[in-house]
């Protein structure tokens, strides 16, 4: 209901109010101006890489301000191949053939555990957590991540899907509980009234053992599996809001995100800290000896199941011009997913930019104009 209200306000007020400056906050009631047209996944207006992964078409200047979203591709991503992971997403130009993953925050190292090459995603007290996003989107499909979680109170390991308008499907692992995993989903940022998170119990230690966690997201159902065993199924029909009749089921193209994040810190709400098992102990011997907390990701496999078959020239998804209020229309497109301007300049503050320009104008022009 709240969301419907917001979307209808969008229709009436969008033409009147725009978030005008770079870095201005944006949402569907106050979309971005034409000058800084793209509403980033974090809700700030800009251009360049702001128009790539996670850019919200409904909060951007027009429905076509965001670059189109790289289409799903069947794949088995081997994460130890770090050449396919761009270590800083602000340098991404939108070419999903060049990189499978971008690091949006934090850092990774590659490692081996029980003989299996993997990446470790790191969490430190000063640097915070680490978030990787796939460069391609999935619009329904079966996604399996092979991972080992952290084992520390307040430290959360996550494997999720996230759309540009905040449809979300989660496997999450609060670190003080290593024999459980939690499943959840959201529709446009809202937890459907009839459902909530579910705790899956009885797993063998998720810190010590590799497990395959699956999100099987189909147009009419959502199934969660561990090591090939179904633990939970939700049908789209079950998510119908019994007041509005709206089916509150994730239905927009989504990126895959892998992360470790600090939930047990003083800036998080008390409920989040509790959920995560309490405050992080930065004196934990594991942290002191390694210099970081971590989670391990070995691979991610994707089997796409688009509701319609793309034509050979299609490369991407776009949000349609006529989105119904509750179900944005999604279409295939052959429009470029790439930005052509200097992406790395967009994310830095004015003062940082002037220092940078002062010392290396030639380098910037030489290396960033694509
Ligand atoms: C949308 O953004 C505007 C401008 O920042 C803000 O005033 C408004 O409260 C936001 N609306 C919501 C629902 O967050
Ligand atoms: C991924 O691996 C599975 C299982 O080995 C295999 O059936 C499938 O064809 C692979 N997919 C791709 C795109 O390589
Ligand atoms: C780490 O990644 C690099 C680049 O992909 C690769 O050459 C190397 O073999 C990896 N190391 C391990 C231990 O997997
Ligand atoms: C995208 O990257 C691939 C792989 O690196 C490359 O072959 C291709 O030319 C790039 N596409 C464009 C348009 O730059
Ligand atoms: C990515 O690059 C930008 C611009 O140089 C920089 O401000 C930011 O700190 C970098 N992020 C990470 C995670 O290194
Ligand atoms: C409607 O949904 C609410 C919230 O889940 C539930 O408490 C209520 O019983 C439902 N009403 C009907 C008529 O199904
Ligand atoms: C399912 O769970 C059982 C134990 O409960 C396990 O033996 C089996 O390997 C799991 N996986 C599959 C695909 O059945
Ligand atoms: C983890 O933390 C939660 C919330 O603080 C608590 O309820 C639970 O008992 C803890 N679990 C373990 C295994 O310590
Ligand atoms: C891209 O799509 C448009 C509209 O469907 C079509 O007219 C055009 O031929 C396509 N371009 C390519 C290169 O396939
Ligand atoms: C085909 C389609 O998506 N039609 C929708 C266009 O927008 C109106 C208003 O939101 C909807 O009622 C239609 O269903």
């Amino acid at each position: 209901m709240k969301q419907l209200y917001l979307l209808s306000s969008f229709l009436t007020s969008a033409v009147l109010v725009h978030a005008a400056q770079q870095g201005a906050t944006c949402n569907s009631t106050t979309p971005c101006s034409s000058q800084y047209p793209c509403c980033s996944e974090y809700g700030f207006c800009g251009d360049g890489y702001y128009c790539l992964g996670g850019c919200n078409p409904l909060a951007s200047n027009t429905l076509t301000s965001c670059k189109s979203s790289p289409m799903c591709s069947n794949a088995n991503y081997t994460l130890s191949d770090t050449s396919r992971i761009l270590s800083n997403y602000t340098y991404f130009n939108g070419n999903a053939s060049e990189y499978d993953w971008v690091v949006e925050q934090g850092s990774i190292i590659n490692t081996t555990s029980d003989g299996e090459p993997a990446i470790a995603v790191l969490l430190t007290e000063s640097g915070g957590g680490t978030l990787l996003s796939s460069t391609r989107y999935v619009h329904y499909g079966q996604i399996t991540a092979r991972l080992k979680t952290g084992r520390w109170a307040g430290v959360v390991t996550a494997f999720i899907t996230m759309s540009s308008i905040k449809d979300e499907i989660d496997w999450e692992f609060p670190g003080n509980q290593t024999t459980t995993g939690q499943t959840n989903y959201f529709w446009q940022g809202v937890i459907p009234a009839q459902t909530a998170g579910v705790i899956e119990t009885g797993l063998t230690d998720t810190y010590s053992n590799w497990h395959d966690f699956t999100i099987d997201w189909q147009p009419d159902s959502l199934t969660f599996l561990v090591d090939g065993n179904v633990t939970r199924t939700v049908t789209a029909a079950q998510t119908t809001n019994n007041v509005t009749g709206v089916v509150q089921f994730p239905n927009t193209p989504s990126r895959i995100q892998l992360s470790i994040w600090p939930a047990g810190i003083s800036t998080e709400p008390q409920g989040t800290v509790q959920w995560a098992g309490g405050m992080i102990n930065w004196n934990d011997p594991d942290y002191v000896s390694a210099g970081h907390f971590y989670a391990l990701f070995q691979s991610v496999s994707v089997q796409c199941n688009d509701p319609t078959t793309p034509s050979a020239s299609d490369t991407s998804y776009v949000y349609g011009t006529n989105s119904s209020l509750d179900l944005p229309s999604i279409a295939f497109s052959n429009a470029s997913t790439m930005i052509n301007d200097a992406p790395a300049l967009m994310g830095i503050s004015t003062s940082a930019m002037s220092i940078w320009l002062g010392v290396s104008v030639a380098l910037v022009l030489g290396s960033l104009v694509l």
Side-chain angles (χ1 to χ4, degrees):
M1 277 220 304
K2 185 175 167 223
Q3 195 64 29
L4 284 174
Y5 166 73
L6 292 178
L7 287 172
S8 22
S9 313
F10 165 65
L11 292 184
T12 54
S13 66
V15 289
L16 304 176
V17 188
H18 284 109
Q21 293 148 9
Q22 171 158 25
T25 58
C26 39
N27 53 43
S28 51
T29 56
T30 310
C32 298
S33 69
S34 56
Q35 195 181 1
Y36 296 107
C38 292
C39 187
S40 77
E41 65 184 306
Y42 302 112
F44 297 104
C45 298
D47 50 15
Y49 72 83
Y50 281 66
C51 305
L52 299 176
C55 177
N56 181 346
L58 303 186
S60 293
N61 186 244
T62 71
L63 268 182
T64 55
S65 297
C66 300
K67 300 305 293 187
S68 59
S69 305
M71 203 169 78
C72 190
S73 178
N74 292 332
N76 294 320
Y77 299 114
T78 302
L79 293 162
S80 56
D81 180 3
T82 51
S83 68
R84 301 293 305 169
I85 304 175
L86 179 61
S87 61
N88 185 330
Y89 83 120
T90 69
Y91 295 93
F92 190 47
N93 67 5
N95 184 348
S97 300
E98 190 173 8
Y99 293 106
D100 299 323
W101 304 89
V102 293
V103 178
E104 297 203 23
Q105 195 202 315
S107 56
I108 59 172
I109 52 176
N110 61 2
T111 182
T112 297
S113 180
D114 289 342
E116 300 192 22
I119 55 163
V121 298
L122 308 184
L123 185 160
T124 64
E125 186 171 13
S126 57
T130 292
L131 169 66
L132 272 74
S133 296
S134 63
T135 57
R136 291 187 179 278
Y137 288 65
V138 179
H139 194 208
Y140 305 108
Q142 182 170 300
I143 308 153
T144 298
R146 185 164 177 80
L147 61 92
K148 289 187 179 184
T149 71
R151 62 169 175 183
W152 307 281
V155 173
V156 178
T157 304
F159 153 49
I160 74 171
T161 65
M162 175 69 82
S163 88
S164 301
I165 61 168
K166 308 288 187 240
D167 285 340
E168 176 180 345
I169 305 172
D170 297 345
W171 266 111
E172 286 196 294
F173 306 90
N176 78 326
Q177 304 151 55
T178 53
T179 58
T180 65
Q182 302 193 8
T183 61
N184 207 347
Y185 66 94
F186 300 78
W187 171 79
Q188 298 184 11
V190 177
I191 300 181
Q194 285 83 348
T195 57
V198 167
I199 298 178
E200 319 294 350
T201 58
L203 313 185
T204 61
D205 188 335
T206 58
Y207 168 81
S208 303
N209 301 294
W210 289 113
H211 286 291
D212 295 329
F213 295 95
T214 298
I215 292 171
D216 189 2
W217 178 36
Q218 304 301 336
D220 55 1
S221 68
L222 174 58
T223 305
F224 297 91
L225 303 91
V226 182
D227 299 329
N229 291 321
V230 172
T231 62
R232 180 186 188 189
T233 300
V234 179
T235 65
Q238 282 168 350
T239 69
T240 306
N241 181 304
N242 61 14
V243 177
T244 61
V246 172
V247 177
Q248 297 181 316
F249 188 74
N251 51 35
T252 48
S254 298
R255 295 184 299 162
I256 303 162
Q257 297 189 317
L258 312 173
S259 65
I260 186 169
W261 59 280
I265 54 176
S266 58
T267 50
E268 288 290 341
Q270 192 54 37
T272 304
V273 175
Q274 279 294 118
W275 166 75
M279 295 294 284
I280 294 175
N281 173 16
W282 300 108
N283 296 316
D284 187 291
D286 288 346
Y287 185 77
V288 172
S289 67
H292 53 247
F293 292 120
Y294 64 93
L296 302 178
F297 291 92
Q298 193 257 20
S299 60
V300 175
S301 69
V302 177
Q303 272 177 264
C304 310
N305 186 28
D306 287 279
T308 58
T309 307
S311 67
S313 61
D314 288 331
T315 56
S316 56
Y317 304 113
V318 289
Y319 281 66
T321 48
N322 181 25
S323 301
S324 65
L325 287 179
D326 52 352
L327 184 62
S329 67
I330 304 297
F332 291 116
S333 165
N334 60 18
S336 170
T337 63
M338 294 175 60
I339 49 175
N340 297 311
D341 47 359
L345 286 179
M346 300 309 157
I348 57 181
S349 68
T350 310
S351 58
M353 191 186 293
S354 50
I355 291 166
W356 183 347
L357 289 175
V359 295
S360 62
V361 173
L363 174 67
V364 168
L365 294 177
S367 63
L368 297 177
V369 177
L370 302 173

